[in-house]
Amino acid sequence: MSLLHHAVRREPFEVLSCFRAELYACMTARADALFELADALLCTDGPVRTLVDLALAPEHRRGHGALYGGLNQGRIDVARLRRALAGVPLPRAADGRLVLAVDVSPWLRPDASTCADRAFCHTFGRGEGKHQMVPGWPYSVVAALESGRTSWTAVLDAVRLQPGADVAAVTTVQIREVVERLIAAGQWKPGNPKILVVLDAGYDAPRIAHLLAGLPVQILGRLRSDRVMRRPAPSRDEFALAHPKGGRPPKHGGEFVFGDPTTWGPEQAVTTTDTRLYGKATAQAWDRLHPRLTRRAAWLDHGGPLPLIEGTVIRLVVEKLPSGGVNKPVWLWWSGADSTAADVDRCWQSFLRRFDIEHTFRLFKQTLGWTRPRLRNSEAADRWTWLVIAAYAQLRLARPLAADLRRPWERPAEPNRLTPARVRRGFRNLRTKTGTPAGAPKPSLPGPGRPPGSKNRHPATRHDVGRVLATGEAYSRPAHHKVGTKPRRTR
C-alpha cells in the first residue's frame, strides 16, 4: 500500500477514533456496558433480533445482566453527544448547502400496557393499507441529506414526542437547536447558503417558517392537494383604481386554488428535467403566495395581528412512477421569494432526497434492531435510541475505510459507495485497529434473584395511551385522525 493511500485513509480513521472516544466520554454511568453494547450492535453478524444475541457477541465481554443494567440504570450526556454529532463531517448539496430532513418514526408498542408515555402513532400499510393509529413511542428525527443516489444520511437529533404534543412547536424547537449547534460547530458561517429544511406532508410549513424567522434557514414542505393560497393584497393605487368610491383595503389578494387551474395565472418559473426513475419531471412555480390564517388551532393565542407568511408554491408533475401507481402532482411550499429556475430545481430535487431518511429508518428497525427490545421504561428506550444513532454515525464515518466484504451473488461496489449494511460487515476489522476505551470486566457472581416459587408482590402499573397530557388536560384525538372525515378546503 502506497504512502499516498495511507495519507488518504489516515484522516477518516482519526475522525472515527476521536468520535469513539467522545462517545465513551458522553456515557456518565455504566459507560463500559453501554459502549460495549454499541460495539456489539456494530459487529454482530446479520440483523439484530434480540438484546440477548448482542450479549453473546465477542465484543460484549459482560453478561446479559450488565446489558440490561446499562440500559435501565445507565446515563448518557445527550447534549454532549448532540454536539459531537454536529461536529463531524456532514454531507452537503452540490452548492455546499446543508439540507436537513425532519420526520417522525414510531416505535410501536400496542400491547405494552405497563409502558408509560405512549402516544397514538400514525401508521400506514398495516391491515389492507389503511390509516391506523397504533400506541407507541413516536420519535422526531433530524438528519442531514446527501446528494445523488444514496441511502446514507447523517442523523443529528432525535426527540421522543410526548402524548398530545404540538408537533409543529416541538419540531420548531428541535430544528432551532440543531441549527444553533451546527453554527457553533462551524458547519455554517455567514455568507454560506442558507440551510434548507425539508418537511413532508403533515407539518405546517408556513407556521414553522414563521417561528424560525431570524435563523439562516429556508423551509420546504409538502402541501395537500386541496389547499388554497392567497395572492398579495393590491396596492393602494390599484385598489383606488378598482374601487373609486373607496372602502376598506383588503388584507389578501385573489385565491390560488390548487385544484382549479383557472386561478393559477402565469408562472414565475418553469423547468423540465429528464430523470432516470420518473421520466420527464416538470416543475411550475408561483411566487409570493401565503395561506389565509384565522384565529383558531395554533394561532388562537397569537398576540397582535396575524402574519402574512409569503412563499413560493411549486407544482411537480412526473411522467411515470417506479411503482406504477397513480401519478398525481406534488405541491410544495418554499419559504424563499423571487424564485429562479435554479431555485425550483433545487427545491424539488431536495424534496425527493428527503425519502433517503426512510432508508435510515428501515436500517434502524430491520438491521440494527431499534424497535426490537421490549423495554418498559421510556428513558431506557431513549438510551437505546441514542446508542443506535451513535452506532449508525460510526458506520458513516467508517464508510471510506471499510472493505467490500460482499457475498458471491452481490455486485462489487465502488470505493466509498458501500451501503450501511455492507459497511457494518467489515466494522469488526476496523474496531480491532481503533481499540476500545471500555475497561475490562471484573469477575462477579450473579445475584440470588427471586426465590423459586414466590409470587411477584409488586405488579407493574398499567398506563393508558395518551389520555393525560403533560399539561394535565385530557387527551382528545385530532379531527383528521377520526374515521370517516373528508379532506376540507383549507384557506
Side-chain angles (χ1 to χ4, degrees):
M1 187 177 295
S2 63
L3 296 177
L4 179 60
H5 188 71
H6 278 293
V8 172
R9 292 172 59 92
R10 185 181 300 118
E11 183 178 355
F13 186 82
E14 292 176 356
V15 173
L16 176 60
S17 300
C18 293
F19 181 81
R20 287 172 58 83
E22 183 66 15
L23 174 61
Y24 184 78
C26 295
M27 301 172 178
T28 57
R30 307 288 182 105
D32 295 337
L34 290 174
F35 192 86
E36 290 193 354
L37 176 58
D39 276 357
L41 179 63
L42 286 168
C43 300
T44 302
D45 296 331
V48 176
R49 303 299 183 188
T50 62
L51 289 179
V52 179
D53 293 337
L54 297 180
L56 300 178
E59 290 75 16
H60 193 275
R61 298 174 293 178
R62 291 160 174 81
H64 73 279
L67 184 149
Y68 284 100
L71 288 178
N72 293 325
Q73 283 84 37
R75 287 195 301 271
I76 300 178
D77 189 350
V78 177
R80 183 172 180 176
L81 181 54
R82 283 169 170 159
R83 292 193 296 268
L85 291 172
V88 298
L90 297 178
R92 297 176 182 270
D95 59 350
R97 184 190 309 266
L98 285 170
V99 181
L100 306 181
V102 185
D103 203 354
V104 176
S105 183
W107 182 342
L108 301 182
R109 300 301 306 276
D111 301 325
S113 58
T114 59
C115 294
D117 303 326
R118 289 185 303 162
F120 288 104
C121 304
H122 169 267
T123 59
F124 188 80
R126 293 169 59 93
E128 299 180 0
K130 295 182 179 179
H131 166 98
Q132 292 183 359
M133 302 299 292
V134 180
W137 291 317
Y139 281 84
S140 176
V141 180
V142 179
L145 303 179
E146 292 191 7
S147 59
R149 297 172 55 193
T150 178
S151 60
W152 286 93
T153 62
V155 179
L156 299 174
D157 192 28
V159 174
R160 177 169 48 83
L161 301 178
Q162 297 292 334
D166 186 349
V167 178
V170 175
T171 303
T172 301
V173 175
Q174 186 181 19
I175 295 174
R176 181 179 297 275
E177 293 177 352
V178 169
V179 172
E180 290 176 351
R181 288 194 296 269
L182 292 175
I183 296 176
Q187 301 284 5
W188 186 90
K189 298 179 181 179
N192 293 350
K194 290 186 177 181
I195 301 174
L196 182 62
V197 181
V198 187
L199 309 172
D200 198 9
Y203 290 93
D204 191 350
R207 181 189 173 199
I208 294 178
H210 174 72
L211 295 176
L212 292 177
L215 287 180
V217 298
Q218 293 178 341
I219 304 298
L220 175 66
R222 183 176 181 177
L223 300 179
R224 292 163 56 114
S225 59
D226 59 347
R227 290 291 298 267
V228 178
M229 290 287 177
R230 292 300 186 101
R231 302 184 187 276
S235 63
R236 290 184 176 272
D237 296 338
E238 294 174 348
F239 178 76
L241 183 63
H243 301 81
K245 296 184 179 180
R248 182 178 180 181
K251 297 181 180 180
H252 310 277
E255 290 186 342
F256 184 95
V257 184
F258 287 7
D260 187 3
T262 60
T263 63
W264 296 351
E267 308 94 335
Q268 270 65 45
V270 180
T271 64
T272 302
T273 308
D274 292 329
T275 63
R276 185 182 64 89
L277 291 177
Y278 304 99
K280 183 178 296 184
T282 304
Q284 305 166 273
W286 292 269
D287 206 4
R288 297 190 62 193
L289 297 178
H290 65 271
R292 181 181 178 182
L293 305 179
T294 57
R295 289 194 178 277
R296 62 178 183 179
W299 301 100
L300 184 61
D301 299 328
H302 180 78
L306 295 176
L308 294 179
I309 310 173
E310 292 187 341
T312 301
V313 172
I314 301 174
R315 181 178 182 265
L316 175 64
V317 180
V318 297
E319 185 178 1
K320 61 180 180 178
L321 294 179
S323 60
V326 180
N327 192 0
K328 297 181 179 179
V330 176
W331 292 91
L332 305 175
W333 186 88
W334 177 50
S335 61
D338 301 327
S339 60
T340 62
D343 295 331
V344 175
D345 283 338
R346 181 176 62 252
C347 286
W348 72 262
Q349 292 175 8
S350 298
F351 177 78
L352 294 184
R353 291 262 60 88
R354 190 210 67 84
F355 292 97
D356 293 342
I357 198 173
E358 303 293 342
H359 296 288
T360 302
F361 292 151
R362 187 180 299 111
L363 177 80
F364 279 11
K365 296 180 180 181
Q366 297 182 1
T367 303
L368 300 182
W370 173 35
T371 58
R372 287 289 181 175
R374 296 296 180 256
L375 302 175
R376 178 182 299 175
N377 192 347
S378 58
E379 296 179 355
D382 293 343
R383 295 188 194 99
W384 173 246
T385 300
W386 279 108
L387 284 182
V388 173
I389 293 175
Y392 179 71
Q394 295 181 64
L395 290 178
R396 191 176 63 84
L397 296 178
R399 182 179 173 186
L401 304 172
D404 185 12
L405 303 180
R406 63 185 181 91
R407 295 186 173 94
W409 56 85
E410 293 177 340
R411 295 180 179 179
E414 299 178 1
N416 204 25
R417 295 291 297 178
L418 296 178
T419 62
R422 290 172 74 165
V423 172
R424 181 169 174 257
R425 294 178 194 170
F427 192 85
R428 177 172 289 170
N429 300 331
L430 295 175
R431 179 185 175 276
T432 58
K433 300 177 182 179
T434 59
T436 174
K442 298 178 181 179
S444 61
L445 297 177
R450 193 169 63 194
S454 62
K455 296 182 179 180
N456 183 12
R457 301 184 183 276
H458 303 282
T461 305
R462 263 58 178 174
H463 302 274
D464 291 333
V465 183
R467 297 302 179 186
V468 179
L469 309 183
T471 58
E473 302 175 357
Y475 173 80
S476 60
R477 183 175 295 187
H480 63 279
H481 290 166
K482 297 179 181 179
V483 179
T485 56
K486 297 180 180 180
R488 60 183 180 183
R489 186 172 182 265
T490 307
R491 295 185 179 274

